[in-house]
């Protein structure tokens, strides 16, 4: 595991037989045989590590071999990225097909929200629409088990964030909402519910 952490932090290949640790590290992988770890990168985002090893201390993984492994790592990273994008496209297509079989608005909203909560692995989700009076009205609420959630109020979601997104048309995405100046400590629902990751579109 230490090798994976080293590759992840440096974003560069790590070879145990040709170099030592950059710092005073007690990582055990430096005492192993010939090991190469290469980062799988999508732009600057780390997707994983390509790992090759041998019990022999002097297997030649350098030179052309290393260049080849780096090329394989690049192709593997591209394949992972494409596969994930393809999976998302299939989900969108399936969702679209589902909509084609539904004739009532409530059914469309309920199905859409259920799939969104499933795909994002969220704890809960809400879908709100403007009514004739111009105010936002909850039309669907689901938890991760597919159960209906009652009218939200401030007990379930941040009305302040919802209103801001509805008024500006700009999405809010955060993995630590309490640290966002506009929606953090001042927003009672965020603090009371212990909300952390939020996506509002």
């Amino acid at each position: 595991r230490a090798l994976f952490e080293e590759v992840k932090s440096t974003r560069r290949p790590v070879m145990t037989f040709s170099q030592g640790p950059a710092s005073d590290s007690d990582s055990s992988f430096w005492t192993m045989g010939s090991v190469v770890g290469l980062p799988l990168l999508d732009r600057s985002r780390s997707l994983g590590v390509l790992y090759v090893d041998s019990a022999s201390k002097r297997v030649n993984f350098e030179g052309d071999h290393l260049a080849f492994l780096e090329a394989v790592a690049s192709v593997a990273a591209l394949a992972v990225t494409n596969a994930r994008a393809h999976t998302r496209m299939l989900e969108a297509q399936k969702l679209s097909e589902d909509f084609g079989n539904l004739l009532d608005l409530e059914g469309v909203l309920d199905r859409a929200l259920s799939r969104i909560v499933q795909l994002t692995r969220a704890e809960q989700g809400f879908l709100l629409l403007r009514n004739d009076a111009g105010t936002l009205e909850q039309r669907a609420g689901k938890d991760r088990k597919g159960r209906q959630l009652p009218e939200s109020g401030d007990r379930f979601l941040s009305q302040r964030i919802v209103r801001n997104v509805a008024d500006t048309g700009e999405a809010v995405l955060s993995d630590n909402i309490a640290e966002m100046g506009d929606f953090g400590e001042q927003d009672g629902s965020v603090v009371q519910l212990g909300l952390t990751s939020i996506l509002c579109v």
Side-chain angles (χ1 to χ4, degrees):
R1 181 166 179 83
L3 182 137
F4 292 101
E5 293 302 323
E6 184 82 10
V7 174
K8 184 178 177 181
S9 64
T10 63
R11 296 175 182 265
R12 299 180 61 183
V14 172
M15 294 174 284
T16 62
F17 61 93
S18 63
Q19 63 185 50
S23 59
D24 294 333
S25 171
D26 59 358
S27 298
S28 60
F29 70 79
W30 297 108
T31 63
M32 298 168 62
S34 299
V35 176
V36 177
L38 300 105
L40 302 181
L41 301 174
D42 176 20
R43 296 191 181 97
S44 60
R45 187 166 59 105
S46 175
L47 301 176
V49 175
L50 174 63
Y51 175 91
V52 179
D53 70 14
S54 171
S56 170
K57 294 280 187 183
R58 294 303 306 169
V59 171
N60 180 16
F61 286 138
E62 295 181 287
D64 290 342
H65 296 287
L66 179 60
F68 173 73
L69 289 174
E70 288 178 319
V72 170
S74 295
V75 172
L78 181 61
V80 169
T81 300
N82 288 344
R84 289 178 176 175
H86 182 66
T87 299
R88 292 189 195 100
M89 288 193 310
L90 288 178
E91 288 292 344
Q93 179 184 353
K94 188 172 182 181
L95 194 58
S96 178
E97 291 171 354
D98 287 346
F99 289 170
N101 297 323
L102 297 172
L103 300 178
D104 64 298
L105 178 61
E106 296 302 324
V108 170
L109 298 179
D110 188 75
R111 182 73 62 87
L113 185 61
S114 294
R115 295 301 293 273
I116 289 168
V117 171
Q118 288 174 6
L119 288 173
T120 59
R121 297 185 179 134
E123 298 272 348
Q124 59 191 13
F126 301 93
L127 199 154
L128 302 94
L129 294 180
R130 287 198 189 278
N131 57 26
D132 293 338
T135 58
L136 289 169
E137 182 181 274
Q138 180 178 314
R139 299 295 293 270
K142 292 278 188 177
D143 68 9
R144 65 169 48 182
K145 294 182 179 178
R147 295 176 298 204
Q148 296 281 353
L149 293 174
E151 276 297 320
S152 58
D154 284 334
R155 294 183 302 124
F156 291 100
L157 57 81
S158 168
Q159 296 290 343
R160 186 171 176 213
I161 292 175
V162 168
R163 283 194 302 270
N164 181 271
V165 170
D167 291 342
T168 65
E170 296 180 3
V172 169
L173 172 63
S174 175
D175 61 3
N176 194 347
I177 195 71
E179 290 186 354
M180 291 183 68
D182 292 339
F183 308 113
E185 296 179 1
Q186 298 175 354
D187 191 353
S189 61
V190 168
V191 175
Q192 292 168 15
L193 291 174
L195 301 177
T196 303
S197 300
I198 290 180
L199 171 63
C200 188
V201 182

